[in-house]
């Protein structure tokens, strides 16, 4: 028996509403073109070749913000056209570039607003090569059938290790001592320098990063408490506390690992800083809007907060250079003039290991979506997947239909559905079905019938027809 092989999907230039139907076509064709070239997934050569219902060179991918080479190689090995930029683009530049692409890969600085996405007439998928997706208008993307993927796990260890390093740096005032030595000043002191063993680390947000950090801190002899909006199992000797206030009052070091939400804006402000222990330390490697920076400056000037480490800021430059000034954030110079403060340029996940893992994870997810319609790992669509079609299954078509969560199965009733899976998330439903013994004329009719439904988010024939 022939082993199952991946079969790519493509997208047509059909207009989008609120659902999407995919049948095998060239990305630029309004109706399925030829059946296909053969290829191997990710450069793997096998005796059972992979069906591709479109010319892979028609798929255009735009990668911004220096996406890792690993991800770029995955796209190139599929034969996609890849345009790569080391930095983010301005909104106007982005609008110009995004008009003709089928997939875009970004990190944290690129903003895919509704205005930008409205110009992306061929876009079917977005890859966030990072943890967060707040830089994407997810509501707009979902309503227009654009899948969004991210990498929620791959840089967790890198961020956790950075925070541990910062805990030690702050406790020993290493940043100040290093700066003094660079200026030629020998200043050997022990006053208000501490071991971290026996101290209490308070973790706000006990997700992938917070829980890994908990294990590392426990191994170093720290006591760990954490606060989260949901009850979560503690690792090691850590214990959950019921309120943020309880955590702040109990901790020598407070570290933040929460998403950017309306509820987390200025989560740590003057009131919360006052609740922290006198002489305690604050670390933020989550999102820049979580900490009220002017309030932190005041708390450090008063001596109530003994030190801080910030890796994220409300406004961040679009590229490297001398941009961290008062023109960007009005309090930048106030921060720079404080003692025992570590300022880093959003490098929590910036390790070779993390970027290689993120590049592979997100690029592979985008490839599977383009080639097969698989939504496993998507942040805005139901997770649906089916076994791939093979050369043993000629004259098959895979229909992928993104639509309002209403019944649509009747439209497939006249066809032989070999396998089917559907799922919903809120108002959005995702249907994937493999239909056998279909002709091009029948595919065209099915495509037109799906396109005519009022429940469609985006109608994009991504059918694939296998030939003998």
């Amino acid at each position: 028996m022939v082993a199952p092989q991946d079969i790519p999907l493509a997208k047509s230039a059909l207009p989008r509403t609120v659902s999407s139907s995919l049948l095998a076509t060239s990305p630029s064709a309004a109706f399925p073109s030829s059946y296909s070239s053969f290829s191997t997934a990710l450069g793997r050569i096998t005796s059972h070749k992979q069906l591709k219902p479109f010319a892979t060179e028609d798929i255009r991918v735009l990668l911004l913000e220096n996406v890792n080479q690993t991800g770029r190689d995955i796209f190139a090995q599929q034969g996609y056209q890849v345009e790569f930029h080391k930095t983010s683009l301005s909104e106007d530049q982005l609008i110009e570039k995004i008009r003709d692409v089928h997939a875009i890969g970004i990190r944290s600085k690129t903003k895919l607003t509704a205005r930008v996405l409205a110009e992306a007439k061929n876009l079917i998928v977005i890859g966030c090569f990072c943890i967060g997706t707040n830089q994407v208008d997810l509501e707009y993307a979902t309503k227009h059938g654009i899948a969004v993927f991210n990498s929620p796990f791959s840089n967790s260890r890198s961020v956790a290790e950075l925070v541990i390093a910062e805990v030690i740096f702050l406790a020993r005032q290493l940043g100040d001592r290093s700066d003094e030595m660079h200026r030629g000043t020998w200043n050997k002191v022990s006053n208000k320098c501490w071991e971290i063993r026996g101290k209490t680390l308070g973790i706000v947000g006990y997700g992938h990063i917070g829980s890994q950090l908990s294990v590392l801190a426990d191994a170093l002899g720290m006591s760990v408490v954490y606060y989260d909006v949901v009850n979560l199992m503690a690792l090691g000797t850590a214990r959950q506390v019921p309120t943020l206030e309880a955590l702040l009052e109990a901790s020598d070091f407070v570290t933040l690992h929460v998403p950017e939400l309306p509820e987390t804006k200025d989560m740590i402000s003057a009131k919360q800083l006052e609740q922290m222990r006198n002489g305690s330390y604050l670390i933020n490697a989550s999102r820049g809007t979580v900490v009220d920076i002017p309030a932190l400056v005041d708390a450090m000037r008063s001596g109530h907060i003994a030190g801080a480490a910030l890796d994220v800021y409300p406004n961040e430059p679009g590229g490297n250079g001398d941009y961290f000034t008062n023109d960007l954030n009005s309090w930048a110079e106030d921060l720079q003039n404080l003692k025992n403060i570590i300022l880093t340029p959003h490098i929590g996940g910036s390790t070779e290991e993390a970027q290689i893992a993120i590049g592979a994870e997100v690029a592979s997810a985008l490839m599977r979506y383009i080639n097969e319609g698989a939504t496993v790992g998507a942040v805005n669509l139901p997770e649906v997947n089916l076994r791939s079609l093979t050369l043993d299954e000629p004259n098959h078509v895979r229909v992928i239909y993104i639509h309002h969560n209403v019944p649509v199965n009747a439209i497939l009733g006249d066809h032989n559905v070999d396998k089917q899976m559907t799922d919903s998330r809120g108002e959005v439903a995702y249907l994937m079905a493999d239909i056998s013994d279909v002709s091009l004329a029948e595919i065209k009719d099915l495509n037109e019938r799906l396109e005519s439904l009022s429940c469609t988010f985006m109608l994009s024939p991504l059918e694939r027809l296998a030939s003998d």
Side-chain angles (χ1 to χ4, degrees):
M1 178 171 293
V2 179
Q5 299 295 312
D6 294 337
I7 299 175
L9 312 174
K11 111 173 234 247
S12 80
L14 291 174
R16 293 196 179 138
T17 39
V18 167
S19 126
S20 165
S21 157
L22 297 91
L23 292 114
T25 79
S26 164
S28 59
F31 172 67
S33 59
S34 71
Y35 309 165
S36 67
S37 49
F38 299 125
S39 173
T40 58
L42 296 177
R44 183 177 67 251
I45 299 177
T46 67
S47 58
H48 306 298
K49 294 183 178 179
Q50 175 185 26
L51 284 175
K52 291 193 176 181
F54 54 85
T56 52
E57 62 269 20
D58 289 340
I59 295 292
R60 300 186 61 181
V61 180
L62 175 63
L63 298 178
L64 305 177
E65 302 183 68
N66 204 27
V67 166
N68 188 266
Q69 185 68 46
T70 306
R72 286 140 57 189
D73 288 345
I74 288 173
F75 294 130
Q77 287 164 5
Q78 288 295 301
Y80 304 160
Q81 298 180 48
V82 179
E83 181 177 347
F84 169 73
H85 295 266
K86 288 189 174 182
T87 64
S88 60
L89 301 177
S90 69
E91 188 171 67
D92 289 340
Q93 290 174 316
L94 189 54
I95 286 173
E96 187 64 30
K97 290 287 187 183
I98 205 171
R99 286 190 172 121
D100 298 322
V101 301
H102 304 96
I104 184 170
I106 63 172
R107 294 177 68 187
S108 57
K109 292 183 175 64
T110 300
K111 306 300 180 185
L112 294 180
T113 62
R115 177 174 177 252
V116 172
L117 294 176
E119 299 295 326
K121 304 304 183 185
N122 292 325
L123 190 67
I124 60 172
V125 64
I126 296 167
C128 297
F129 287 75
C130 53
I131 292 178
T133 56
N134 57 293
Q135 67 274 43
V136 178
D137 189 327
L138 291 178
E139 181 179 358
Y140 185 96
T142 303
K143 288 182 176 179
H144 291 77
I146 303 170
V148 181
F149 294 86
N150 70 335
S151 178
F153 315 112
S154 295
N155 70 359
S156 301
R157 178 71 181 199
S158 297
V159 178
E161 288 186 4
L162 176 66
V163 172
I164 286 292
E166 290 173 336
V167 167
I168 297 171
F169 260 63
L170 293 173
R172 298 295 298 274
Q173 301 178 20
L174 293 181
D176 288 354
R177 298 296 85 78
S178 178
D179 287 343
E180 290 162 355
M181 289 292 285
H182 278 279
R183 297 195 300 268
T185 301
W186 185 279
N187 185 23
K188 182 178 179 180
V189 297
S190 59
N191 184 41
K192 295 185 178 179
C193 294
W194 315 97
E195 293 182 355
I196 66 169
R197 179 181 55 177
K199 303 303 186 293
T200 299
L201 176 66
I203 302 173
V204 182
Y206 204 66
H208 305 303
I209 296 171
S211 57
Q212 284 207 41
L213 176 59
S214 172
V215 173
L216 295 176
D218 193 16
L220 289 169
M222 300 188 78
S223 298
V224 178
V225 296
Y226 63 92
Y227 168 71
D228 204 295
V229 293
V230 296
N231 291 324
L232 296 167
M233 184 182 72
L235 301 179
T237 62
R239 62 184 178 87
Q240 187 164 7
V241 294
T243 64
L244 176 61
E245 182 178 357
L247 179 139
L248 298 175
E249 292 175 348
S251 303
D252 300 300
F253 297 83
V254 174
T255 179
L256 308 172
H257 303 282
V258 297
E260 183 175 12
L261 300 170
E263 295 83 1
T264 61
K265 180 175 173 55
D266 292 339
M267 187 179 195
I268 303 297
S269 193
K271 177 182 176 181
Q272 289 74 31
L273 291 165
E274 289 174 6
Q275 292 169 347
M276 291 176 63
R277 288 180 173 180
N278 188 49
S280 59
Y281 306 85
L282 179 68
I283 299 170
N284 184 23
S286 59
R287 288 292 179 261
T289 57
V290 174
V291 175
D292 180 348
I293 303 292
L296 174 62
V297 170
D298 291 342
M300 291 190 65
R301 282 175 173 168
S302 73
H304 179 66
I305 300 299
L310 302 177
D311 188 47
V312 289
Y313 311 90
N315 298 309
E316 299 181 357
N320 294 339
D322 298 329
Y323 304 122
F324 195 70
T325 65
N326 278 12
D327 292 335
L328 184 68
N329 294 293
S330 61
W331 33 254
E333 292 181 10
D334 292 334
L335 275 182
Q336 293 160 348
N337 291 326
L338 292 172
K339 292 291 187 181
N340 204 25
I341 188 163
I342 301 169
L343 304 177
T344 50
H346 205 151
I347 58 170
S350 296
T351 62
E352 293 287 353
E353 294 89 345
Q355 292 308 308
I356 288 171
I358 290 170
E361 180 182 0
V362 179
S364 296
L366 267 61
M367 180 200 69
R368 286 192 299 271
Y369 183 74
I370 293 169
N371 291 358
E372 302 176 27
T375 55
V376 176
V379 301
N380 66 328
L381 295 178
E383 295 194 5
V384 175
N385 195 16
L386 281 180
R387 174 181 62 80
S388 301
L389 295 174
T390 72
L391 287 174
D392 283 348
E393 300 169 294
N395 299 320
H396 278 59
V397 62
R398 173 162 292 178
V399 177
I400 296 171
Y401 190 54
I402 309 170
H403 60 95
H404 277 299
N405 191 10
V406 296
V408 296
N409 275 350
I411 206 165
L412 303 178
D414 295 335
H415 299 278
N416 183 28
V417 178
D418 280 0
K419 51 187 180 291
Q420 174 180 331
M421 183 174 180
T422 187
D423 198 0
S424 62
R425 178 185 291 182
E427 295 182 356
V428 181
Y430 193 95
L431 167 68
M432 182 185 290
D434 288 346
I435 301 174
S436 62
D437 301 322
V438 286
S439 65
L440 286 175
E442 289 172 320
I443 292 174
K444 180 178 180 181
D445 176 68
L446 178 59
N447 186 69
E448 291 173 349
R449 292 172 65 190
L450 289 171
E451 184 180 17
S452 69
L453 296 178
S454 61
C455 64
T456 298
F457 275 2
M458 171 188 75
L459 185 52
S460 169
L462 208 77
E463 355 169 310
R464 23 181 122 308
L465 183 64
S467 67
D468 292 322

